[in-house]
Amino acid sequence: MANSFVRYTGNNSTTSYSIPFSYRSTADLTVTLAGVATTAFTLNSAGTTLTFNSAPAQDVAIEIRRRTSQGTKLVDYASGSVLTENDLDTDSDQAFFMSQEAIDDAGDVIKVSNVNFQWDAQNKRVTNVADPTNAQDLATKNYLENTWLSATDKATLNNVNSNI
């Protein structure tokens, strides 16, 4: 389970979704519907439930993600200043949250399987692949259908796929 994001799928009726991870500020939350950022939501007072203004459509990918500031240190220590618990907590939270986000990002990519040392797409489709140019390149469905399959082959495939 991820530590810095959660994913849901819209069903055209649910508007409220749980946020199961901690975050420092609402400014650190990014919410997307089908990959497009949205601010059409409210948070409950505890910040643990997000409610959209209207229910996301059927099968829309919903992602609620924490993005902690990496470009700005939230605490700047100065010689001779008083070290407070709040400063230490803020500094520690920033580092802890950034490390969780990095681990989540690393775990959310295609990687080599430790079973057979082959690339593992974790049962997800691979999208946005260019047409092959070399002998060992990955071939897209579009490339195969429009380069190698006859009209009869395509009709047969379409018939088989429609009966699944």
Side-chain angles (χ1 to χ4, degrees):
M1 182 170 122
N3 294 302
S4 64
F5 68 88
V6 63
R7 293 177 175 143
Y8 298 104
T9 302
N11 62 10
N12 213 26
S13 63
T14 303
T15 57
S16 294
Y17 295 88
S18 177
I19 303 174
F21 53 84
S22 299
Y23 55 94
R24 205 187 50 75
S25 161
T26 57
D28 293 347
L29 289 180
T30 301
V31 180
T32 59
L33 298 172
V36 177
T38 182
T39 58
F41 62 85
T42 57
L43 298 172
N44 68 341
S45 61
T48 56
T49 302
L50 178 142
T51 303
F52 288 104
N53 297 350
S54 59
Q58 185 71 32
D59 298 326
V60 165
I62 303 163
E63 183 177 77
I64 305 167
R65 182 177 288 268
R66 180 187 68 222
R67 292 278 187 208
T68 305
S69 171
Q70 295 181 8
T72 304
K73 289 175 48 176
L74 301 177
V75 176
D76 183 22
Y77 296 102
S79 293
S81 66
V82 175
L83 188 60
T84 67
E85 177 187 0
N86 185 59
D87 287 342
L88 290 171
D89 287 346
T90 299
D91 195 38
S92 175
D93 284 348
Q94 183 180 21
F96 182 64
F97 288 165
M98 285 190 310
S99 67
Q100 285 182 325
E101 292 158 17
I103 291 166
D104 286 347
D105 284 348
D108 207 25
V109 298
I110 294 176
K111 55 188 167 189
V112 174
S113 166
N114 64 353
V115 174
N116 57 14
F117 305 124
Q118 301 301 310
W119 292 106
D120 182 355
Q122 303 175 37
N123 203 33
K124 293 183 176 92
R125 288 179 35 239
V126 178
T127 60
N128 299 318
V129 177
D131 286 341
T133 56
N134 295 317
Q136 294 300 309
D137 285 356
L138 182 70
T140 64
K141 179 178 180 287
N142 181 66
Y143 179 81
L144 290 174
E145 286 180 349
N146 294 304
T147 305
W148 296 103
L149 297 181
S150 67
T152 304
D153 292 335
K154 287 185 212 179
T156 302
L157 276 176
N158 287 334
N159 187 33
V160 169
N161 287 336
S162 66
N163 291 324
I164 294 178

